């Protein structure tokens, strides 16, 4: 599948700023679970900020495809970018987007992305579609997948006073014997 102009620009900018030594240390920090491009924080922001400006983002009907394509790239930097891009469309989340978020949680899973997805994407999704919470959370808790279970536990983290304490208690009790 051909890359969009947006994706091509992102890849070029990331490649231009790549640092092999930093990439190796980033990979070591993540227990060699993932490859990295080796972007310093300032370099990453120099790329991300202009691309995240509303005028430069993919059209609303394209963001899901871009996120999914970036998710399969081997370098972790692309997953970070993809999840941050998805967050920019939070006001446009659709009922079926839970499938995309579940895909993101269960593919290339590790705490660094799962925690962001749970609190920023799934948390916002459930604010828009609270009727989806019971069936989805029940399914995730029964899945045996540690990352889906972690997402069920964390999705309300930014809810503050709006946290459903009864639901949180049920999730905690369900996972109490989990590793």
């Amino acid at each position: 599948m051909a890359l969009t102009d947006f994706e091509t620009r992102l890849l070029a900018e990331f490649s231009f700023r790549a640092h092999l030594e930093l990439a190796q240390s980033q990979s070591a920090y993540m227990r060699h679970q993932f490859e990295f491009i080796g972007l310093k924080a300032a370099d990453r922001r120099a790329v991300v900020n202009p691309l995240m400006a509303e005028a430069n983002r993919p059209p609303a009907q394209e963001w899901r495809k871009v996120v999914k394509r970036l998710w399969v790239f081997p370098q972790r930097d692309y997953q970070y970018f993809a999840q941050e891009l998805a967050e920019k469309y939070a006001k446009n989340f659709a009922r079926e987007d839970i499938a995309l978020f579940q895909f993101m949680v269960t593919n290339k899973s590790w705490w660094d992305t799962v925690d962001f997805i749970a609190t920023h994407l799934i948390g916002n999704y459930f604010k828009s579609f609270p009727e989806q919470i019971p069936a989805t959370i029940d399914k995730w808790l029964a899945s045996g997948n540690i990352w889906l279970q972690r997402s069920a536990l964390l999705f309300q983290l930014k809810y503050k006073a709006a946290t459903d304490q009864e639901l949180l208690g049920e999730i905690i009790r369900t996972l109490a014997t989990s590793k």
Side-chain angles (χ1 to χ4, degrees), residues 111-168:
W111 62 267
D112 61 326
T113 54
V114 170
D115 290 4
F116 182 96
I117 296 162
T119 58
H120 294 263
L121 304 181
I122 296 168
N124 281 325
Y125 172 87
F126 282 143
K127 283 181 180 177
S128 296
F129 302 101
E131 72 281 1
Q132 298 292 98
I133 293 172
T136 303
I137 296 304
D138 286 349
K139 182 175 92 172
W140 289 358
L141 292 175
S143 72
N145 181 299
I146 189 173
W147 302 112
L148 289 174
Q149 293 171 341
R150 184 178 178 101
S151 297
L153 183 63
L154 294 179
F155 84 88
Q156 295 186 87
L157 192 63
K158 294 189 177 285
Y159 284 19
K160 307 249 187 248
T163 298
D164 181 337
Q165 293 181 8
E166 185 176 320
L167 174 62
L168 182 59

